Amino acid sequence: MKKLLGLIILCAFIGHGTQAQSHLSEDEVKSLVQLKSDLEGTYQIQMIDTRTLPSVELTMFKTIAELRDSEEVVYHRVSDRMRIKILPYKEIEKADFVPLDYYTFITSNEIE
């Protein structure tokens, strides 16, 4: 049942992504969806002072991969209400690595 639900969500995401980002070719969309899957758990979308669910363009996953540092956590500010926490390679390569949730809600007081 969980696999079926996951497949439905993935199909909806892909369908939404291709419509919302019509400037991308089908191959680019497939590549970015694969990149999203590869990066899963190594970044976290943080919604700031809002309970709005996050929505990101597929091209953001390329940005996440490009911004990842080897030693330090990187915070990429997308908007006033959204930033992305990107874990460093040194952390995600640890044997006891625990993947991050896809998104979380934080307050502006929690921002360093």
Side-chain angles (χ1 to χ4, degrees), residues 1 6 11 30 40 55 61 75 100:
M1 187 64 173
C11 289
K30 286 180 183 178
E40 196 167 302
S55 174
F61 300 109
Y75 291 94
L100 296 172

Side-chain angles (χ1 to χ4, degrees), residues 52-102:
T52 303
L53 293 176
S55 174
V56 296
E57 291 190 17
L58 285 174
T59 54
M60 183 59 64
F61 300 109
K62 186 175 179 182
T63 301
I64 291 168
E66 290 170 352
L67 291 175
R68 187 176 311 278
D69 188 74
S70 59
E71 301 286 324
E72 301 294 324
V73 173
V74 173
Y75 291 94
H76 175 61
R77 190 72 171 216
V78 177
S79 70
D80 290 342
R81 298 284 183 222
M82 181 192 305
R83 73 177 184 174
I84 300 176
K85 177 181 182 178
I86 306 168
L87 297 179
Y89 287 111
K90 107 177 169 181
E91 188 167 334
I92 62 178
E93 292 171 351
K94 290 181 180 177
D96 61 346
F97 171 69
V98 177
L100 296 172
D101 291 333
Y102 179 64

Side-chain angles (χ1 to χ4, degrees), residues 30-69:
K30 286 180 183 178
S31 175
L32 290 170
V33 168
Q34 181 60 51
L35 181 59
K36 176 188 183 300
S37 177
D38 294 345
L39 295 174
E40 196 167 302
T42 68
Y43 68 92
Q44 182 178 66
I45 300 169
Q46 298 180 335
M47 301 304 292
I48 306 163
D49 294 331
T50 183
R51 291 293 182 192
T52 303
L53 293 176
S55 174
V56 296
E57 291 190 17
L58 285 174
T59 54
M60 183 59 64
F61 300 109
K62 186 175 179 182
T63 301
I64 291 168
E66 290 170 352
L67 291 175
R68 187 176 311 278
D69 188 74

Side-chain angles (χ1 to χ4, degrees), residues 3-17 33-34 36-37 40:
K3 287 183 180 181
L4 177 60
L5 180 59
L7 181 61
I8 292 170
I9 291 171
L10 178 61
C11 289
F13 177 78
I14 292 170
H16 173 73
V33 168
Q34 181 60 51
K36 176 188 183 300
S37 177
E40 196 167 302

